[in-house]
Amino acid sequence: MKVCKFGGSSLANAAQLNKVIDIVLADPARRIVVVSAPGKRHSGDTKVTDLLIDLANTALAGENTDRQFGAVVERYAEMADTLKLGGEIVRRIEMDLMDRLAQVATLAPDEFLDLLKAAGEDNNAKLVAEAFVARGKKARYASPKETGMTLTGRFGDAQLDPASYATLARAFSNFEGIVIYPGFFGYTKEGKVATFPRGGSDITGSILAAAVCADVYENFTDVDSVYPVDPRIVSEVREGIPTMTYREMRELAYAGFGVFNDDAVIPAVRARIPINIRNTNHPSEPGTMIVQSRRVVPGTVVGIAAAEGFCNIVVDKYLMNREIGFGRRLLAILEDEGIAYEHMPSGVDSQCVIVKSQALPKEKERRVVQHIQRELKPDSVSIDRDLSLLMVVGEGMCYTAGMFAKACLALASAGINISMVNQGSSEVSFMIAIRVKDRDAAVRALYKAFFG
Ligand code: ASP
């Protein structure tokens, strides 16, 4: 069995929805279909989820909601009209939205916001199920409530209650035909609607794939595959990545690969379900498979990424290496200040701590430096801002001599200075810090060296 998830751009209008139906019907294994709310139809358009947030905020402010209400209904009505589904489904969607809006007086603002946000996928799943039925197929809408998708944590940032896996598995074992399931939300133990973070339909798909032990989790989006480098930086990149491992995906996602969200796929990764990223607009393309392990060609790289927004806390102290507990006390200071650290490369008498710039905003900088000076009495402490981390990733780099040398030579030839390097013992990736201004030139140089 395959679980397929279709994102907002795959469901933005009737033409896209017809492509989705064709894709699902092309393979009888595609039995569970997770849908997002309708997304943007063109670049200047607004996603239905954003229209719903606007509607919720207008209602919370006690203002007239007619315009926002009409804008949401219009998106569904346009699809229902084009697909000739009849007026009934649109009336049901209107009633549903009115019911939700009426709860503004009884719910806390964050609960109300989630109730409205969830309406995007919930109503879309109902409409998509109708569209399948209109094409004479056995399909039904299934709700997160009846199947037991129980969430905990904060509204707008909820997480799955792990006990749900068993409940979901039981519920799905009773279904026949194609099941259309809304992404992005579930219910708290108290029966309130709660949503995952934005983009959360990916999480729903991943959870269902794990719950039913799917053969594959197909995530349909609007790119042919995951590319080894950002095509906005290297426009000539043509070949996508056919297969990569979960570890490679995680490393690339960490460094800003935008196609997938590594948090979202955790349930599928833990259950070792292969993930297939595919394009709704080019369904014949095989896309990118993400799996537990793969055959590798020694000396090859799978992708090159560059992440921004890092800074380096550099602490120098003569004879630091002889001072027992120096590193622990430095990290304890960061813990006290509520700063998560990312990497910690060191020299003989210097210790660097790379942190996300947002974890160490300018206003906090002075206090943190003074705290380090007070407790560790270093010779100097400085903060180096505006760093970009280049990541060269590939299981094939393991035990191969010269990979790092190749990267350094490429950067040196492009006149790019390296601020810091780091490689974990897994050898699945290495990291090079450079100045943000050099990012694009560095990515191009590395791409040419490893893929050119
Ligand atoms: N519709 C939600 C959003 O725009 C969830 C999703 O599409 O995955 O964030």
Side-chain angles (χ1 to χ4, degrees):
M1 186 199 301
K2 294 180 177 174
V3 171
C4 326
K5 180 259 163 178
F6 291 90
S9 62
S10 304
L11 293 155
N13 58 27
Q16 289 299 91
L17 174 47
N18 273 328
K19 289 183 194 168
V20 168
I21 297 177
D22 291 339
I23 289 169
V24 174
L25 297 181
D27 184 346
R30 292 185 176 129
R31 292 263 321 282
I32 300 176
V33 181
V34 176
V35 297
S36 282
K40 292 183 182 188
R41 291 161 292 188
H42 44 82
S43 61
D45 203 11
T46 309
K47 288 170 148 201
V48 165
T49 307
D50 291 313
L51 294 177
L52 285 161
I53 292 171
D54 189 19
L55 174 61
N57 287 330
T58 311
L60 283 167
E63 289 164 16
N64 185 304
T65 55
D66 289 355
R67 184 178 58 79
Q68 289 81 358
F69 186 91
V72 174
V73 173
E74 178 50 35
R75 292 295 308 268
Y76 294 101
E78 183 193 281
M79 286 204 275
D81 266 9
T82 318
L83 296 167
K84 302 200 174 20
L85 300 180
E88 180 52 27
I89 177 78
V90 182
R91 267 191 298 282
R92 287 211 321 260
I93 291 172
E94 273 177 339
M95 295 288 290
D96 171 79
L97 285 173
M98 282 192 292
D99 279 353
R100 288 177 199 251
L101 280 172
Q103 297 185 50
V104 67
T106 50
L107 292 177
D110 53 349
E111 298 171 1
F112 178 70
L113 192 60
D114 269 17
L115 181 69
L116 269 271
K117 272 151 71 186
E121 342 303 277
D122 204 23
N123 286 309
N124 207 27
K126 290 175 187 164
L127 186 141
V128 171
E130 294 264 327
F132 272 88
V133 172
R135 293 215 357 205
K137 303 296 161 195
K138 193 170 159 96
R140 63 161 286 188
Y141 154 85
S143 85
K145 188 167 216 163
E146 66 166 308
T147 52
M149 175 79 77
T150 306
L151 306 193
T152 59
R154 292 206 320 265
F155 287 92
D157 189 22
Q159 286 149 12
L160 185 76
D161 173 350
S164 303
Y165 284 113
T167 328
L168 287 163
R170 263 197 310 280
F172 277 90
S173 68
N174 293 327
F175 292 144
E176 281 171 15
I178 298 163
V179 178
I180 315 296
Y181 198 91
F184 193 36
F185 74 96
Y187 286 80
T188 64
K189 284 210 172 77
E190 295 73 39
K192 291 190 171 141
V193 169
T195 66
F196 293 119
R198 290 299 302 269
S201 299
D202 283 339
I203 307 179
T204 307
S206 174
I207 289 169
L208 294 190
V212 304
C213 291
D215 297 313
V216 56
Y217 169 34
E218 292 183 319
N219 192 311
F220 281 89
T221 168
D222 50 13
V223 292
D224 282 348
S225 57
V226 179
Y227 291 99
V229 70
D230 187 339
R232 287 168 304 186
I233 300 178
V234 180
S235 57
E236 64 270 26
V237 60
R238 292 283 169 269
E239 299 246 324
I241 302 173
T243 311
M244 66 172 139
T245 64
Y246 297 135
R247 276 205 308 182
E248 289 171 331
M249 171 201 72
R250 166 82 183 113
E251 302 269 341
L252 289 169
Y254 173 82
F257 259 42
V259 185
F260 42 72
N261 172 347
D262 50 347
D263 276 350
V265 294
I266 291 171
V269 171
R270 292 223 170 102
R272 306 260 167 106
I273 312 286
I275 301 162
N276 192 190
I277 311 276
R278 306 189 63 156
N279 191 347
T280 304
N281 302 313
H282 297 145
S284 57
E285 293 289 333
T288 297
M289 281 301 278
I290 308 170
V291 292
Q292 172 66 18
S293 63
R294 67 181 181 97
R295 282 184 56 187
V296 292
V297 178
T300 54
V301 161
V302 84
I304 293 159
E308 254 145 61
F310 289 91
C311 59
N312 191 3
I313 307 171
V314 186
V315 185
D316 281 311
K317 187 171 186 184
Y318 190 60
L319 300 181
M320 179 193 286
N321 65 324
R322 296 198 198 157
E323 200 172 316
I324 293 171
F326 193 91
R328 179 186 54 74
R329 281 184 288 145
L330 178 56
L331 288 184
I333 292 170
L334 297 184
E335 189 178 348
D336 284 351
E337 298 286 346
I339 300 170
Y341 87 93
E342 302 292 319
H343 312 285
M344 215 176 162
S346 65
V348 178
D349 283 337
S350 78
Q351 180 66 66
C352 298
V353 188
I354 309 248
V355 302
K356 296 235 168 91
S357 306
Q358 70 204 40
L360 182 56
K362 273 261 175 223
E363 18 348 321
K364 216 171 172 178
E365 195 176 301
R366 223 173 109 90
R367 200 179 68 218
V368 173
V369 169
Q370 283 172 346
H371 198 159
I372 294 172
Q373 281 166 334
R374 208 169 49 242
E375 303 240 341
L376 297 173
K377 314 261 177 305
D379 297 334
S380 70
V381 189
S382 59
I383 310 239
D384 191 8
R385 290 198 171 265
D386 291 330
L387 288 180
S388 185
L389 292 186
L390 299 169
M391 294 276 276
V392 179
V393 179
E395 306 259 6
M397 298 200 297
C398 198
Y399 310 124
T400 310
M403 301 300 287
F404 197 60
K406 202 170 180 176
C408 291
L409 186 62
L411 294 177
S413 310
I416 294 163
N417 182 45
I418 294 175
S419 303
M420 186 273 316
V421 296
N422 195 10
Q423 185 193 281
S425 55
S426 72
E427 292 187 44
V428 70
S429 71
F430 57 80
M431 184 184 292
I432 300 175
I434 52 160
R435 310 251 55 103
V436 169
K437 70 171 175 49
D438 292 328
R439 186 199 69 173
D440 290 4
V443 169
R444 282 189 210 110
L446 291 178
Y447 179 75
K448 203 161 152 222
F450 290 104
F451 295 89

